[in-house]
Amino acid sequence: EIRRVTEGRIAGTDFVPSPLAHPHCMSVCAVIRLDDGGFLPFVRCASREAVFELLKGRLGPDPDEPLARFLREAAPSASRRAAGAIVLHASMDAEHFDVSRSMRCPVAVLGPDGAAIPACSWGVLHREAGR
């Protein structure tokens, strides 16, 4: 469990579904990196909805004005150096393959012809043919 491995610094409740992917496929824990080497999950200083909105169109927090504004508003007292993210991606296998989830996959693998194939489809439908 992530709570045990991170000694309580990260918990499952610190993750939000990625706005880019199907909610069952990808979760993101965006963190503020603190000067003392620690980190603070975004959802501990802002609502889950605010974090989800910040992540729209991206896999993690980008160093841009929306992130700077978020940090000023959500964690003004935190001594911070940077932001980052932990991304959990649940890949599908042949037994649990779901076309609708695969169609929302934001991660691509280039096929032999250069076409971008959703990573979820690649692992189930194309991997053997590509070897």
Side-chain angles (χ1 to χ4, degrees), residues 108-129:
V109 175
L110 290 180
D113 63 354
I117 300 169
C120 297
S121 297
W122 175 263
V124 175
L125 305 174
H126 302 279
R127 183 184 326 228
E128 292 299 320

Side-chain angles (χ1 to χ4, degrees), residues 30-33 40 42 45-46 50-51 53-56 58 60-76 80-85:
V31 296
I32 300 165
R33 182 84 168 152
L40 175 67
F42 281 21
C45 53
V51 175
E53 190 64 32
L54 175 73
L55 295 174
K56 279 196 173 173
R58 51 182 105 196
D62 287 335
D64 57 10
E65 180 49 35
L67 175 62
R69 184 174 48 255
F70 176 87
L71 293 174
R72 284 192 305 271
E73 294 170 2
R80 56 200 172 270
R81 295 188 313 190

Side-chain angles (χ1 to χ4, degrees), residues 71-127:
L71 293 174
R72 284 192 305 271
E73 294 170 2
S77 62
S79 175
R80 56 200 172 270
R81 295 188 313 190
I86 301 166
V87 179
L88 302 177
H89 184 205
S91 297
M92 292 183 279
D93 59 18
E95 188 174 326
H96 301 98
F97 188 75
D98 180 341
V99 173
S100 65
R101 285 175 57 187
S102 180
M103 291 173 62
R104 290 189 55 190
C105 186
V107 180
V109 175
L110 290 180
D113 63 354
I117 300 169
C120 297
S121 297
W122 175 263
V124 175
L125 305 174
H126 302 279
R127 183 184 326 228

